[in-house]
Amino acid sequence: MGPETQVRRQRERPLPDVDAEEELELGRYWSALAARWWLPVAGLIAGIVIGYLLSLGGHQVFEAKSTVYLGQPLSPTGTGQINGLSTNPATVKQVILAPFWQHRAERQAGLPAGSLRGHVSTQAVAGAAAALGRVGQNPLVNIVVTGKKPAKIARAADSLANIAVGQVSAGYVSTKIRNFKTNIAADKAELASINTRITSLQSDVQNNKGLSTVERLLFANQIGLAVQEQRQVVADLSNNQQLLALAQNVEQSKVITPARAVKTTARSRRNSVLVGALIGLLLGIVAALLWEPAGTLARRTSM
């Protein structure tokens, strides 16, 4: 037989059917799974049980979050913004991460010394103006404390929030508020004195029927001057009250949301069960597919 004849016969030999071989392989795998279906089922159940047990053994972690408004200091007349501690969000972070203030918060919350170290953080809450690239709006700041004792970490978060508020507003804004309150008290006292004087003058005019025309004009002039002074004091009192409200509600830092601890488990029970079930199912499928080859190999080895 010549070489040309051999090449011709090799060319005429039909090529193997790849699709048929793949179907045969898949059929063999499916038969192995169907014959030993209990292995994937057992793996699935075992994975669910193991995942559930692992989730029970995971440490429960709680998170307490207190929200602080930094405030926006204004000029003494309330017409322009000025820069200060409250205009820098990093101020809160520096305060609450300081060991001195953390130690005070630990004592107030009843926590052991050093328990807050590494468990305190801040989150800036950007407002609409910041999102739009505008200036002039200070963000809210969340003070976050994590730990295993929910009631105590909530008290610690509130304590740190109050400390931060005190440090931010302890200077300029607090001084303005004290001055406004002093001015308001003085205006009220002066207004009461003026009202008393006006009442006394009016009573003198009414009770003295024998006053001459000149005397009545003098009393009327005094009453008019007292009323004019009364109006000025009322206007000054109203202005101071408005500036006090502005300082207390806009300029002053404050805690707007007290902390409440919520559970944030280190390992989610649902995720643990799902992952365990998936791993168990995959191991069961692998075991079912390798059952027969492993048995054959074992028999050959024993021979």
Side-chain angles (χ1 to χ4, degrees), residues 75-89:
S75 62
T77 58
T79 56
Q81 298 178 357
I82 60 175
N83 293 326
L85 290 176
S86 59
T87 58
N88 186 1

Side-chain angles (χ1 to χ4, degrees), residues 73-82 172 176 180 243 246 251:
L74 303 174
S75 62
T77 58
T79 56
Q81 298 178 357
I82 60 175
Y172 175 71
K176 286 183 66 175
F180 288 141
L243 290 175
L246 181 65
E251 299 183 65

Side-chain angles (χ1 to χ4, degrees), residues 14-256:
L15 297 175
D17 192 348
V18 178
D19 295 336
E21 292 180 358
E22 290 180 355
E23 292 179 0
L24 181 62
E25 290 292 333
L26 293 176
R28 185 165 66 250
Y29 293 154
W30 179 253
S31 298
L33 291 176
R36 298 171 184 83
W37 58 268
W38 50 273
L39 286 174
V41 173
L44 177 66
I45 297 174
I48 292 175
V49 173
I50 294 174
Y52 180 78
L53 293 177
L54 289 176
S55 67
L56 292 178
H59 296 293
Q60 300 294 332
V61 178
F62 294 88
E63 179 182 88
K65 183 184 298 183
S66 183
T67 305
V68 173
Y69 168 65
L70 297 180
Q72 175 58 66
L74 303 174
S75 62
T77 58
T79 56
Q81 298 178 357
I82 60 175
N83 293 326
L85 290 176
S86 59
T87 58
N88 186 1
T91 303
V92 175
K93 183 177 181 180
Q94 294 301 314
V95 170
I96 68 171
L97 294 183
F100 178 84
W101 297 118
Q102 287 190 1
H103 181 63
R104 176 173 294 186
E106 290 164 354
R107 286 189 301 173
Q108 294 177 352
L111 291 169
S115 57
L116 290 180
R117 188 180 301 114
H119 295 278
V120 179
S121 61
T122 60
Q123 300 172 347
V125 183
L132 296 175
R134 301 173 186 168
V135 296
Q137 181 183 27
N138 284 350
L140 303 176
V141 178
N142 290 330
I143 297 176
V144 184
V145 179
T146 58
K148 299 178 182 179
K149 300 177 180 179
K152 292 187 177 182
I153 66 170
R155 288 198 296 269
D158 286 337
S159 178
L160 288 172
N162 290 321
I163 289 172
V165 166
Q167 293 302 303
V168 170
S169 294
Y172 175 71
V173 177
S174 295
T175 302
K176 286 183 66 175
I177 291 175
R178 286 195 301 268
N179 291 338
F180 288 141
K181 289 182 177 180
T182 301
N183 293 337
I184 289 172
D187 288 338
K188 288 182 177 180
E190 185 176 0
L191 184 61
S193 176
I194 294 172
N195 292 334
T196 301
R197 187 165 74 251
I198 292 174
T199 302
S200 177
L201 291 172
Q202 290 174 343
S203 178
D204 291 341
V205 172
Q206 293 174 359
N207 295 332
N208 295 321
K209 302 297 184 179
L211 292 175
S212 64
T213 302
V214 175
E215 290 175 335
R216 289 183 179 276
L217 288 175
L218 290 175
F219 272 108
N221 184 50
Q222 292 179 1
I223 293 174
L225 292 175
V227 170
Q228 184 178 0
E229 186 179 358
Q230 181 190 50
R231 291 176 179 174
Q232 292 176 352
V233 174
V234 168
D236 188 62
L237 175 62
S238 176
N239 183 59
N240 284 327
Q241 288 175 335
Q242 291 178 357
L243 290 175
L244 176 62
L246 181 65
Q248 290 177 329
N249 296 292
V250 177
E251 299 183 65
Q252 188 178 36
S253 304
K254 65 185 66 178
V255 179
I256 62 173

Side-chain angles (χ1 to χ4, degrees), residues 1-8:
M1 180 183 302
E4 295 181 358
T5 304
Q6 293 179 357
V7 172
R8 191 182 302 113

